[in-house]
Amino acid sequence: MHSYSLIAPAKINLYLEIIGDRPDGYHELAMILQSIGLADYIDVHSISNDTIRVHSNHPQVPTDNSNLAYKAAELMTRQFPEAFAKYGGVEISINKQIPVAAGLAGGSTNAAAVLVGIDLLWKLGLTQSELEELGATLGSDVPFCVSGGTAIATGRGEQLSPLPSLDKIYIVLAKYRSLEVSTPWAYKTYRQEFGNSYIRDTNDLAARASAVHSGEIVKAIALADAGKIAQKLHNDLERVVLPAYPQVLQLREIFANQEGVLGTMMSGSGPTVFALFESEQQAEQVKLHVREAISDEDLELFVTRTITHGIQVASSI
């Protein structure tokens, strides 16, 4: 096989709690991550020389070594030099459907797809956990994007514990195309404003992180109860992002006032806001209502749903 086409799903956060500072400078987090049907499409091809090339249909996606997908390929060449020498370089094509800089792990899922694609291309036979371990060196969201589904993430987000997968809870995503929120800014601002409430003891950090395992939202996920899940949505970063970004707050408020919305929240550090629904019809209706309420062409709206998987192979040649 000389080429693989892969589906790289986006993710949302159903829960994000900041517990305290870690010794490595990151935050100790307790999160629940969920794969969704909105996805990018990644082609990974063998090429005869020893280079890495990245192409994309989206003008905002970098094609140099600042792209996380490029970094993923670079990592594989370092980790498996014999395979690199045997099979040669790779050409990566990114068909971008996930909004850029949206807090939906678009870059991370592209990197995860490249790891999976090169593993197959070079016949490395890596396990899922080995791919996740490689992914963790690239970014906190990459391990989850490899496996996908529904999971509790602790540490800085790279330590995963699978949960029963949620399927077919419908979602509307809303994101202003030109609006970006810096993730480092969001966490730094949260630390400045709420750092006095952080747990300082390392043992307590671990204990508090594990407490989400018995949380109400985990019970609701185990029952696949969309209504109860929606009632327990939580994101600490809303405390700093919503006051600073009135457009994000406006989206959240509009969703909250729509009939049929089970619950609404900002995903990750934003600026994407999502709403949960029991049916696709309700989701489509609310999408239309939000479009009528906000006629700004800069606003992107998507209807999607929860899915049970991460990276998938679409085809191979």
Side-chain angles (χ1 to χ4, degrees):
M1 303 297 179
H2 302 291
S3 176
Y4 282 89
S5 296
L6 302 110
I7 303 168
K11 67 91 181 163
I12 57 173
N13 296 73
L14 299 175
Y15 186 93
L16 191 161
E17 181 182 359
I18 299 172
I19 297 165
D21 281 319
R22 291 163 51 91
D24 58 11
Y26 288 93
H27 280 91
E28 186 73 26
L29 303 173
M31 301 186 291
I32 295 176
L33 308 178
Q34 174 62 53
S35 297
I36 59 175
L38 181 65
D40 290 342
Y41 298 88
I42 313 297
D43 292 328
V44 182
H45 305 269
S46 287
I47 52 178
S48 55
N49 56 37
D50 60 352
T51 59
I52 299 167
R53 299 177 193 160
V54 176
H55 310 281
S56 178
N57 66 327
H58 196 295
Q60 285 179 265
V61 174
T63 56
D64 59 10
N65 61 3
S66 67
N67 187 304
L68 207 55
Y70 187 108
K71 291 179 188 293
E74 208 170 33
L75 173 65
M76 295 296 270
T77 66
R78 291 196 307 270
Q79 291 289 318
F80 305 100
E82 291 180 3
F84 181 36
K86 179 179 179 180
Y87 292 102
V90 291
E91 187 167 28
I92 300 159
S93 299
I94 302 171
N95 182 339
K96 201 77 185 152
Q97 304 298 315
I98 302 168
V100 175
L104 299 173
S108 296
T109 195
N110 294 171
V114 169
L115 294 179
V116 172
I118 292 179
D119 170 52
L120 295 168
L121 207 59
W122 292 355
K123 301 177 174 61
L124 297 171
L126 299 175
T127 64
Q128 181 175 293
S129 42
E130 286 172 329
L131 288 165
E132 289 174 4
E133 192 174 330
L134 286 167
T137 69
L138 296 167
S140 301
D141 283 336
V142 180
F144 172 74
C145 291
V146 170
S147 54
T150 311
I152 293 171
T154 53
R156 56 182 173 84
E158 84 290 4
Q159 298 170 20
L160 301 174
S161 300
L163 289 171
S165 290
L166 295 172
D167 193 16
K168 295 185 180 177
I169 295 175
Y170 289 90
I171 301 163
V172 176
L173 302 167
K175 194 255 177 186
Y176 284 97
R177 190 177 287 105
S178 62
L179 184 62
E180 297 182 14
V181 176
S182 163
T183 299
W185 168 85
Y187 280 101
K188 181 181 177 183
T189 305
Y190 191 92
R191 180 183 281 123
Q192 290 170 345
E193 294 189 20
F194 304 106
N196 58 355
S197 66
Y198 285 4
I199 296 171
R200 302 296 174 188
D201 183 85
T202 306
N203 291 329
D204 283 351
L205 280 176
R208 185 66 194 88
S210 66
V212 76
H213 288 258
S214 59
E216 292 299 315
I217 190 167
V218 175
K219 294 176 186 175
I221 289 168
L223 296 170
D225 188 325
K228 287 185 179 177
I229 292 166
Q231 291 170 19
K232 300 300 178 182
L233 297 173
H234 176 81
N235 184 349
D236 276 339
L237 290 176
E238 286 191 328
R239 298 173 74 182
V240 295
V241 176
L242 296 185
Y245 291 87
Q247 286 173 295
V248 181
L249 177 60
Q250 180 197 29
L251 286 174
R252 202 185 185 294
E253 289 176 339
I254 285 175
F255 274 135
N257 290 320
Q258 295 293 320
E259 187 176 345
V261 172
L262 299 174
T264 182
M265 193 173 72
M266 181 182 79
S267 183
S269 58
T272 300
V273 176
F274 67 88
L276 302 183
F277 301 85
E278 287 186 335
S279 74
E280 186 176 12
Q281 182 183 8
Q282 289 171 316
E284 292 286 358
Q285 286 176 344
V286 167
K287 176 188 171 184
L288 288 175
H289 292 159
V290 173
R291 176 62 71 199
E292 291 168 1
I294 304 175
S295 58
D296 191 340
E297 291 183 1
D298 194 43
L299 179 63
E300 295 180 291
L301 293 164
F302 307 85
V303 172
T304 185
R305 62 179 178 85
T306 59
I307 59 173
T308 61
H309 58 80
I311 305 302
Q312 286 199 316
V313 176
S315 63
S316 58
I317 300 172

